[in-house]
Amino acid sequence: MQPTLDDWTIVLMREHNRDGNALVYNTIQTYLKGARKNAQRHIELAAQEVWTVGIKLVRGAYIENEIRSLIHDTKEDTDNSYNDIADMLISQRSPTNLKFPSAALVLATHNAESATKALTTHKKRLEAGLPTTPMKCAQIMGMADELSGKLLQDYEKAVKEGRATDKTPRIYKCLPWGSVQECINYLYRRAVENRGAVERTRHMAVAMRQELWRRVIG
């Protein structure tokens, strides 16, 4: 099913993503072994046909429903896949001899290490005047809020210090809107996804204490 969805989204990107504007994004799930080739295919098609490729990069939330052989064998492999694809887009590493196409990236992650690595690369390339893909950061409301808060603090600090530009990554939170009945499928997916989030509880508790201390003490 996923290859068909990819093809449909590519058709829409061909039609609507023009002149450097990404209206349509496709989601690439990096826990899949074929994620790198899929990302490279998107980039190659955009370069050949001259349209803007929009990619939302996630680790993936359907692991219980996927064919196991399609998924990376270890979490480390998934992390490496995510970070490498993010770097390929940010650093504009073309998989072909063609010039890297116009592109846009939504770094959708709850992983602080991946976010920090991508933002550091993005910042260094901008400071060096190197070609860099425009990027946004996004998390789901109620998940990794401590990461979102840290990213937002860093952005606000850059604004106050006059370092922020129109190329500085903005921070977004995904918020469902509607009745419980309308959002039930979304809520179910989040519940399944959060089964593996227990290991983050201690980290989140520490982050919450630090944020409380920051707000009270300053």
Side-chain angles (χ1 to χ4, degrees), residues 16-35:
H16 299 289
N17 289 10
R18 294 290 178 177
D19 302 320
N21 297 315
L23 178 63
V24 180
Y25 287 76
N26 196 17
T27 299
I28 291 183
Q29 302 182 99
T30 62
Y31 67 4
L32 296 175
K33 292 178 179 177

Side-chain angles (χ1 to χ4, degrees), residues 82-143:
Y82 190 98
N83 294 334
D84 182 61
I85 295 172
D87 184 77
M88 176 172 62
L89 287 159
I90 295 168
S91 302
Q92 299 196 351
R93 292 189 277 116
S94 179
T96 69
N97 293 327
L98 295 173
K99 180 181 177 182
F100 197 90
S102 170
L105 170 64
V106 174
L107 194 78
T109 182
H110 300 136
N111 185 291
E113 183 178 346
S114 289
T116 300
K117 183 173 293 190
L119 285 165
T120 299
T121 300
H122 191 273
K123 180 181 177 182
K124 286 182 177 179
R125 290 186 67 84
L126 287 179
E127 291 175 345
L130 297 172
T132 308
T133 295
M135 184 176 78
K136 303 178 180 72
C137 295
Q139 291 86 39
I140 294 169
M141 181 67 75
M143 295 180 67

Side-chain angles (χ1 to χ4, degrees), residues 134-154:
M135 184 176 78
K136 303 178 180 72
C137 295
Q139 291 86 39
I140 294 169
M141 181 67 75
M143 295 180 67
D145 289 340
E146 76 286 355
L147 172 59
S148 304
K150 175 64 167 59
L151 295 176
L152 184 58
Q153 287 172 25
D154 291 345

